[in-house]
């Protein structure tokens, strides 16, 4: 049922938001240039690697040694608005259609975090990652990694179609009030460095 629900809602969302997707793509091309999409390999169900898609929200900027500048120096005001509106997540609907992701589930994180999880935290990979999730509607980037992982594991152990519907409605509310977008002292979120 979850997979059928994901596909039906993703198709409907792509159709409804197609004008928005087109406009956002054109704006990114105008303000940030190409590529329009941000592609990055992330671990999915059972840790299987897939290519996650998002709209690009940062400019390409390097220091004199050719190293990429920190996020704070690459994130423009346009990129901040794009992230705060969550419109940068719309290409993720394609990942849902492909079966790499679900509408609801633990957010797919960086590959380099894989060896840093405890056995309990690694349970987050027992389900498909989501565009939104239980941790996102309970603090998003404003809570600690430990709290996020506890919420992720709780979702894995308590998932249901009704819980997914509840999370989707709470996500819409969070998007409108723009709550928990960044971690304190960071323009996005701090890196996970392992458990204390």
């Amino acid at each position: 049922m979850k997979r059928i629900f994901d596909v039906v809602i993703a198709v409907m969302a792509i159709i409804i938001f197609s004008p928005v997707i087109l406009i956002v793509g054109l704006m990114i091309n105008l303000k940030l240039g190409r590529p329009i999409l941000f592609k990055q390999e992330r671990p999915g169900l059972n840790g299987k690697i897939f290519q996650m898609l998002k709209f690009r929200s940062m400019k390409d900027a390097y220091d004199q040694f050719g190293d990429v500048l920190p996020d704070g120096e690459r994130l423009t005001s346009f990129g901040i608005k794009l992230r705060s509106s969550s419109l940068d997540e719309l290409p993720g609907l394609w990942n849902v259609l492909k079966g790499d992701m679900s509408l609801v589930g633990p957010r797919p994180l960086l590959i380099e975090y894989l060896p840093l999880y405890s056995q309990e935290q690694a349970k987050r990979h027992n389900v498909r990652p989501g565009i939104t999730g239980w941790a996102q509607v309970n603090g998003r980037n404003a809570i600690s990694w430990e709290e996020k992982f506890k919420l992720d594991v709780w979702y894995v152990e308590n998932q249901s179609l009704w819980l997914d519907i509840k999370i989707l409605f709470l996500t819409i509310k969070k998007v409108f009030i723009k709550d928990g977008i960044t971690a304190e002292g960071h323009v996005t979120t701090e890196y996970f460095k392992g458990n204390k």
Side-chain angles (χ1 to χ4, degrees), residues 44-58:
L45 178 63
N46 299 319
K48 182 183 177 183
I49 306 302
F50 72 98
Q51 192 172 68
M52 187 187 74
L53 302 175
K54 293 177 73 171
F55 274 129
R56 182 177 166 217
S57 59
M58 294 188 188

Side-chain angles (χ1 to χ4, degrees), residues 18-117:
S18 56
V20 177
I21 292 169
L22 179 62
I23 291 168
V24 171
L26 291 171
M27 291 292 290
I28 292 170
N29 189 42
L30 182 67
K31 293 182 176 289
L32 300 175
R34 293 183 182 237
I36 292 170
L37 293 178
F38 170 76
K39 302 176 183 179
Q40 190 174 57
E41 289 189 332
R42 298 283 177 98
L45 178 63
N46 299 319
K48 182 183 177 183
I49 306 302
F50 72 98
Q51 192 172 68
M52 187 187 74
L53 302 175
K54 293 177 73 171
F55 274 129
R56 182 177 166 217
S57 59
M58 294 188 188
K59 63 183 179 180
D60 291 327
Y62 305 88
D63 62 19
Q64 67 266 31
F65 305 107
D67 296 319
V68 177
L69 290 174
D71 290 353
E73 296 181 48
R74 297 189 297 124
L75 190 60
T76 63
S77 58
F78 169 73
I80 292 170
K81 289 175 184 175
L82 194 60
R83 288 186 173 207
S84 67
S85 67
S86 294
L87 291 175
D88 62 320
E89 300 287 353
L90 286 174
L93 292 168
W94 176 247
N95 287 123
V96 174
L97 287 182
K98 286 177 62 185
D100 296 326
M101 292 178 66
S102 177
L103 292 171
V104 178
R107 284 291 295 166
L109 301 175
L110 299 175
I111 292 173
E112 51 259 46
Y113 293 171
L114 285 173
L116 303 178
Y117 298 137

Side-chain angles (χ1 to χ4, degrees), residues 58 71 83 109-110 113 140-145 148 180-192:
M58 294 188 188
D71 290 353
R83 288 186 173 207
L109 301 175
L110 299 175
Y113 293 171
R140 202 170 174 179
N141 290 326
I143 58 176
S144 70
W145 282 112
K148 282 183 195 178
I181 296 163
T182 61
E184 188 175 347
H186 299 267
V187 295
T188 52
T189 188
E190 63 177 328
Y191 278 92
F192 177 55

